[in-house]
Amino acid sequence: MPSEFALEIDNLTVEIAGAAYVRDVSLAVPEGQIHGLLGPNGAGKTTLLRSLYRAVAPTAGQIRAQGRAIGDHAHHEWARKLGALVQSAGLLDGLTPRDIVEIGLSVLELPHGEFDRRRQDALELAGLADKQDQPAGKLSGGELQRCYFAQLLACDPEIYVLDEPTNHLDLHYQLALLDEVRRRGRTVLMTMHDLNLAVRYCDHVYLMAGGRIVEHGRPLEVLNRQNLMTHYLVDGQFHGNVLSITGPIHQQSQRRRA
Amino acid sequence: MPARFSLLFPAALVAMVLAAVAGVLWGTADIGWADRLAILSRSEEAPRGLSLIVWQWRIPRVLAVGLIGAGLSLAGALMQTALRNPMADPYLMGLSSGASAAAVAAIIWLPAAVTDRLGVPLIAFLGAAAAFALTMGLSQRRGQPMDPLIVVLAGVAVSLMFQSLTAFFLYIGDPHATRNAMGWLMGTAAGTEWQEVPLLAVAVVALGLVFLTQANALDATLLGEERAQALGIRTARLRAMIFVATVLLTGLAVAVAGIVGFVGLIVPHMARLLVGARHRVLLPITMVLGATVLIAVDLMCRVLLAPEELPLGVLLALFAAPPFIIILRGLRRAV
């Protein structure tokens, strides 16, 4: 049955070795919107994303893309529909940025005629056209992140899953690459530590704590002073789209929260 | 990259054929050119004794050594990819020693009927599998990524243990083995028979082709476990395939020639320097280079101190030491 939502998650629980990292989470991202998962370290954001790209199997619950369950897709078919930018340690000896982008295109068996164009466009967007044949092992953390971003942009799936996409990126590429994602009008679910960027890009955000969604809504509504204090342990508030922070709140309140 | 490969691959093939021809023409026995030609053309005038040396000893030996070189290099390249560890190798991880200990124990203690029934290759395969399980078990740290250095240390420990066991078995047993103690511990292809070649050939060629069809999935594996999964690769299944293939190749190699070290470590690195790390070019080059290197080293073992023969392990370790140190220095800790 077709659904108005590109990505739906119903009552998802993920346990790893007996410990619950995601508890009974439900959310739905309409076609073409950018939704953000926010929350402090250990809130379960990354685990939630991992279950979307099939790195962990959910203990309970449903994941659907365009109304069709994840389990009804072959692995490669799902990967063509939902692409992810993730954190993971590789062995890059003998690979170049060009290889990294090509690997994504080859694995997903994208039409051969478009292969070269997609690769070059993506490398240029990521500012790596002039470094495409250099050893990937010698790139800086930011350049490497741009390589993987370029791979995802070249594959251009219908749903983008981004785990801390701005990691290691300088300000220019943080904005340039996320602008590009938004320009393409794809459906996006991403985790984000930078709350200013979350406010700038997300149509809707979910605030997670202890594996659950504790609040969701428009970014500025969710990121109010009370939530910043309770979940991020900082005293701050948004003025327009800019977060101004007075400072971290004291350890005592941290203890009270625990 | 493909342009480079299309030049280098034929060149490597030519080198392999030249090495093989040299391996057949030269050896511990000194044969004149006239006799060489007579023997190879199977002429009536060929001296029977020398003809026997070439056809029954040298040719199967060169073929077996080439296949072992190709197989161990393939195993090394696959392990390095599966574990994303540049130091992964059937020898360093203890597989060869496990296979050798199992084969020696079986030959000494099991009734010949049983050993013949099961076959030394199968027993060596089981030994390699046990050693591999042990190394991986010792390297696991709950909830932490496997540190490449810890894997190597665990492998060295397992390797030492099995090598002492082999030496112990050989010392207390009465080895009616087809090879001497030196062969089992340091590798030698002396005494290889024709009947040992077909199984090796089928396994090495078939596994080479199987993994060539998985080249894209292997490439994705290099980028990291989670990245490969996000690209739709079933990483656990691919890893299981690689581990079975590696253990199989090592078991077969050890059953024929004992412990042959370092080829699986060094050759894939040479290949990566030449053509990069994409598996559709890396695997073919790795296998051809592995065959070439081992045929050449085996030939040196036969001619350097002729009529005495050096064990393969001695020369291999000598050649492998400098690149080994370079790879070790380039190793990054797991984060």
Side-chain angles (χ1 to χ4, degrees):
Chain A
M1 197 180 74
S3 163
E4 58 175 311
F5 295 110
L7 178 66
E8 291 166 278
I9 297 173
D10 290 339
N11 306 106
L12 189 81
T13 296
V14 184
E15 289 175 6
I16 300 169
Y21 286 78
V22 174
R23 303 160 196 253
D24 198 27
V25 164
S26 298
L27 60 85
V29 190
E31 183 95 40
Q33 287 203 8
I34 300 182
H35 285 201
L37 290 173
L38 309 180
N41 295 332
K45 308 182 296 288
T46 296
T47 306
L48 175 54
L49 295 192
R50 291 180 72 212
S51 68
L52 294 180
Y53 58 81
R54 288 183 137 163
V56 286
T59 318
Q62 281 276 332
I63 297 169
R64 287 186 300 276
Q66 278 119 8
R68 218 174 123 208
I70 187 169
D72 296 342
H73 295 73
H75 278 69
H76 66 276
E77 189 191 358
W78 181 258
R80 260 198 294 255
K81 197 177 265 184
L82 181 148
L85 179 64
V86 308
Q87 316 297 327
S88 183
L91 175 64
L92 302 179
D93 297 352
L95 292 177
T96 62
R98 179 196 176 103
D99 285 326
I100 290 176
V101 175
E102 276 185 8
I103 288 171
L105 291 167
S106 318
V107 170
L108 299 183
E109 293 168 344
L110 290 167
H112 226 79
E114 294 181 35
F115 204 99
D116 289 352
R117 183 188 56 78
R118 281 186 181 225
R119 183 196 60 220
Q120 281 321 111
D121 285 355
L123 284 167
E124 263 156 44
L125 279 168
L128 289 166
D130 56 333
K131 291 197 169 174
Q132 58 178 306
D133 292 319
Q134 291 190 7
K138 296 234 156 69
L139 299 178
S140 71
E143 287 169 330
L144 209 52
Q145 178 76 352
R146 272 148 58 195
C147 277
Y148 291 118
F149 218 128
Q151 186 193 61
L152 185 62
L153 289 171
C155 296
D156 195 25
E158 287 155 31
I159 303 167
Y160 281 58
V161 164
L162 310 174
D163 189 11
E164 294 301 332
T166 54
N167 246 3
H168 304 294
L169 295 183
D170 60 39
L171 195 54
H172 172 78
Y173 284 106
Q174 292 182 14
L175 300 175
L177 292 172
L178 287 176
D179 278 352
E180 174 64 19
V181 171
R182 186 161 62 184
R183 191 191 66 78
R184 293 185 177 197
R186 297 302 194 188
T187 307
V188 180
L189 183 64
M190 64 179 173
T191 63
M192 180 115 323
H193 279 303
D194 187 323
L195 301 181
N196 285 309
L197 287 178
V199 167
R200 182 184 170 98
Y201 288 103
C202 294
D203 300 298
H204 196 91
V205 297
Y206 306 88
L207 183 59
M208 286 185 77
R212 299 179 194 280
I213 292 177
V214 291
E215 200 165 331
H216 68 98
R218 311 221 20 111
L220 287 176
E221 290 162 17
V222 173
L223 294 170
N224 54 41
R225 192 168 181 187
Q226 184 56 47
N227 277 336
L228 288 172
M229 198 172 276
T230 313
H231 298 288
Y232 285 95
L233 304 178
V234 293
D235 189 4
Q237 57 188 346
F238 275 90
H239 296 291
N241 278 358
V242 181
L243 175 63
S244 62
I245 301 172
T246 357
I249 51 175
H250 294 293
Q251 292 298 314
Q252 206 182 352
S253 35
Q254 203 170 358
R255 238 178 278 135
R256 207 182 306 137
R257 180 176 152 254
Chain B
M1 210 66 77
R4 226 164 144 191
F5 177 75
S6 52
L7 278 178
L8 283 169
F9 188 67
L13 274 179
V14 169
M16 180 178 76
V17 171
L18 287 179
V21 169
V24 172
L25 292 181
W26 280 276
T28 33
D30 198 11
I31 309 177
W33 276 104
D35 284 341
R36 280 178 180 144
L37 293 178
I39 291 166
L40 287 179
S41 59
R42 309 215 90 163
S43 142
E44 289 293 316
E45 288 148 41
R48 282 185 61 88
L50 294 179
S51 189
L52 195 72
I53 288 179
V54 170
W55 283 98
Q56 292 307 312
W57 293 0
R58 282 193 193 166
I59 295 180
R61 176 177 185 156
V62 166
L63 288 175
V65 161
L67 289 163
I68 289 171
L72 289 177
S73 304
L74 173 65
L78 291 173
M79 270 182 133
Q80 286 158 23
T81 298
L83 297 170
R84 286 175 289 278
N85 182 348
M87 301 291 285
D89 157 69
Y91 171 64
L92 273 184
M93 296 188 61
L95 275 69
S96 305
S97 313
S100 182
V104 169
I107 289 167
I108 293 177
W109 285 307
L110 285 184
V114 179
T115 319
D116 288 348
R117 190 75 168 275
L118 284 175
V120 177
L122 178 64
I123 294 166
F125 167 77
L126 296 175
F132 181 64
L134 211 54
T135 301
M136 296 312 280
L138 286 173
S139 317
Q140 300 279 2
R141 291 282 178 282
R142 211 183 148 82
Q144 282 175 30
M146 246 189 252
D147 187 320
L149 272 179
I150 300 285
V151 178
V152 174
L153 285 178
V156 169
V158 169
S159 196
L160 281 176
M161 184 188 83
F162 278 115
Q163 281 182 44
S164 354
L165 275 180
T166 309
F168 178 68
F169 294 160
L170 288 165
Y171 185 76
I172 61 165
D174 174 24
H176 296 292
T178 47
R179 297 186 217 302
N180 56 23
M182 218 52 149
W184 285 109
L185 286 168
M186 306 185 78
T188 178
T192 306
E193 290 168 6
W194 271 108
Q195 69 204 44
E196 293 176 292
V197 176
L199 183 60
L200 255 183
V202 170
V204 170
V205 173
L207 288 173
L209 291 175
V210 164
F211 284 102
L212 213 48
T213 66
Q214 300 294 315
N216 286 335
L218 292 165
D219 286 348
T221 305
L222 286 177
L223 303 181
E225 180 81 4
E226 305 256 322
R227 291 204 177 92
Q229 287 168 333
L231 286 169
I233 307 301
R234 308 185 70 171
T235 51
R237 199 174 65 171
L238 184 65
R239 203 168 33 234
M241 266 173 75
I242 290 177
F243 290 165
V244 171
T246 316
V247 169
L248 194 68
L249 289 167
T250 312
L252 282 173
V254 168
V256 174
I259 298 177
V260 178
F262 296 112
V263 198
L265 175 70
I266 308 292
V267 171
H269 282 274
M270 286 166 50
R272 253 180 235 118
L273 285 177
L274 290 173
V275 297
R278 302 291 294 279
H279 288 80
R280 73 190 140 87
V281 289
L282 177 72
L283 294 184
I285 280 272
T286 295
M287 291 178 75
V288 172
L289 276 183
T292 313
V293 166
L294 210 59
I295 292 172
V297 173
D298 180 56
L299 176 61
M300 283 187 231
C301 288
R302 285 185 280 147
V303 297
L304 279 182
L305 297 180
E308 292 297 317
E309 238 189 64
L310 276 170
L312 270 170
V314 172
L315 279 189
L316 277 173
L318 211 60
F319 291 134
F324 180 88
I325 290 165
I326 292 170
I327 298 166
L328 189 64
R329 287 188 65 92
L331 199 62
R332 276 178 288 262
R333 300 297 298 262
V335 266

